[in-house]
Amino acid sequence: MSDSEFEHGTKPHTARCYDYFLGGKTNYAVDREAALQALKANPHAMVAARQNRGFMHRASRFVARETGIDQFLDIGTGIPTEPNLHQVVQSVNPRARVVYSDNDPIVLAHARALMNSTPEGDTAYVEADVRDPDRILEYARKTLDLSRPVALSAVALFHFIPEEDDPYGLMRRLTAPLAPGSALVFSHAAIDLDDGQMAALAEQYSKSVTPTRLATRQGTADFFEGMDLLPPGIVPTSEWHAAQAPDETPHDPGPVTPAEAGVWAGVALKP
Ligand SMILES: C[S@@+](CC[C@H](N)C(=O)[O-])C[C@H]1O[C@@H](n2cnc3c(N)ncnc32)[C@H](O)[C@@H]1O
């Protein structure tokens, strides 16, 4: 897609459809139409998006609080939606440093909202594709010290990476240079949590928005190869530390079934 198609909103894009599902205003008519088609395919799509965002909040807060990690690399950031990751982790540790990355130019256009770091911490943004891990890591090194633990966050991103682009190999290239003690915060749309609604959504998305692939629980676990999963392991987003401060996650609409959540999630540490 050319930049002008992005700018003029002639084609729907995942970041803007997701923004619509979260109740944001940074989306065009084509995105809303695609989101409505997605909701026809899977009536739980909006709940799934909000549960996913809630997982991102809880997992980031957990990592900042419980592991002492103070450096975060978030790939597939999405359009800024408060609280963003740096606001969550800097509320725990104001010295936290966060590098954001996304391949959608509209995220760059709104990146100022990602730059309102605490004075003690720092945030940065790079427009880059996760299929170019070296570029992302090179940029991250300007803000983060990769000889110390980093939390890599790839939340609701890898289901947009087609098999031929080797999603598992890309993950290995991203985690290999990270120091021992680093964390991976990860979620992936699921094929085995419902009776085909997520598959219908992926088919609709693949036709009108972007190629979308689903993973089983085992397929999701494989992204964590070489890392130690923290309890409760790979679970639906809605079940990952669900009791943790639900009032702090405004996008979390409350208890839902695993089928409605539709997305696997987990957090692991690199030994
Ligand atoms: C569903 S949103 C998730 C946003 C955020 N991580 C969250 O979970 O709240 C997926 C994001 O991944 C981005 N994305 C999709 N394909 C990408 C790629 N190949 N490289 C980098 N970002 C990508 C989209 O632009 C979008 O912002």
Side-chain angles (χ1 to χ4, degrees), residues 1 11-12 14 34 37-38 41 160 199-213:
M1 190 188 298
K11 290 200 171 179
T14 51
Q37 292 300 327
F160 298 127
L201 177 106
E203 195 184 332
Q204 192 277 328
Y205 244 57
S206 297
K207 265 190 250 153
S208 64
V209 185
T210 195
T212 307
R213 220 176 21 79

Side-chain angles (χ1 to χ4, degrees), residues 69-73 96-98 143-146 148-151:
I69 291 176
D70 60 0
Q71 312 189 92
F72 295 79
L73 173 56
R97 302 168 79 82
V98 180
T143 304
L144 311 180
D145 174 2
L146 296 198
R148 295 200 302 110
V150 169

Side-chain angles (χ1 to χ4, degrees), residues 13-15 18 52-53 76-78 102-103 129-131 155-157:
H13 195 271
T14 51
Y18 186 67
N52 177 73
R53 189 77 180 171
T77 295
D102 201 288
N103 73 340
D129 197 295
V130 69
R131 286 167 287 195
V155 179
L157 166 66

Side-chain angles (χ1 to χ4, degrees), residues 74-122:
D74 181 51
I75 307 180
T77 295
I79 291 163
T81 306
E82 296 213 352
N84 293 295
L85 190 151
H86 73 283
Q87 292 162 315
V88 172
V89 299
Q90 289 183 343
S91 73
V92 176
N93 178 359
R95 301 182 65 82
R97 302 168 79 82
V98 180
V99 173
Y100 288 114
S101 177
D102 201 288
N103 73 340
D104 186 343
I106 201 163
V107 179
L108 177 64
H110 293 268
R112 200 174 307 145
L114 301 172
M115 300 304 187
N116 57 350
S117 170
T118 53
E120 307 94 312
D122 198 6

Side-chain angles (χ1 to χ4, degrees), residues 19-259:
D19 176 75
Y20 174 79
F21 287 141
L22 294 185
K25 301 260 179 287
T26 312
N27 47 72
Y28 298 111
V30 282
D31 306 307
R32 295 189 285 278
E33 179 53 33
L36 291 173
Q37 292 300 327
L39 274 169
K40 270 191 201 153
N42 179 355
H44 308 310
M46 190 173 279
V47 170
R50 292 174 183 219
Q51 287 294 326
N52 177 73
R53 189 77 180 171
F55 161 72
M56 186 280 276
H57 291 156
R58 295 195 301 280
S60 306
R61 188 181 307 110
F62 172 89
V63 168
R65 231 182 233 163
E66 306 298 329
T67 70
I69 291 176
D70 60 0
Q71 312 189 92
F72 295 79
L73 173 56
D74 181 51
I75 307 180
T77 295
I79 291 163
T81 306
E82 296 213 352
N84 293 295
L85 190 151
H86 73 283
Q87 292 162 315
V88 172
V89 299
Q90 289 183 343
S91 73
V92 176
N93 178 359
R95 301 182 65 82
R97 302 168 79 82
V98 180
V99 173
Y100 288 114
S101 177
D102 201 288
N103 73 340
D104 186 343
I106 201 163
V107 179
L108 177 64
H110 293 268
R112 200 174 307 145
L114 301 172
M115 300 304 187
N116 57 350
S117 170
T118 53
E120 307 94 312
D122 198 6
T123 62
Y125 179 83
V126 61
E127 186 182 312
D129 197 295
V130 69
R131 286 167 287 195
D132 191 355
D134 296 340
R135 177 168 138 72
I136 294 175
L137 289 165
E138 188 187 319
Y139 184 86
R141 282 192 180 89
K142 294 181 187 170
T143 304
L144 311 180
D145 174 2
L146 296 198
S147 70
R148 295 200 302 110
V150 169
L152 170 65
S153 155
V155 179
L157 166 66
F158 270 77
H159 41 239
F160 298 127
I161 307 305
E163 213 61 70
E164 60 266 30
D165 288 328
D166 189 16
Y168 294 96
L170 288 171
M171 181 58 84
R172 281 194 295 274
R173 285 172 63 193
L174 285 165
T175 53
L178 302 185
S182 291
L184 174 60
V185 175
F186 183 82
S187 73
H188 196 294
I191 197 164
D192 49 353
L193 275 173
D194 63 20
D195 295 327
Q197 292 93 332
M198 204 42 108
L201 177 106
E203 195 184 332
Q204 192 277 328
Y205 244 57
S206 297
K207 265 190 250 153
S208 64
V209 185
T210 195
T212 307
R213 220 176 21 79
L214 301 180
T216 59
R217 188 163 185 270
Q218 182 57 51
T220 303
D222 290 344
F223 280 99
F224 292 93
E225 194 193 333
M227 302 189 97
D228 299 329
L229 272 165
L230 297 176
I234 308 280
V235 292
T237 47
S238 52
E239 292 181 7
W240 199 92
H241 291 223
Q244 189 201 123
D247 54 328
E248 287 179 52
T249 52
H251 293 294
D252 185 341
V256 298
T257 65

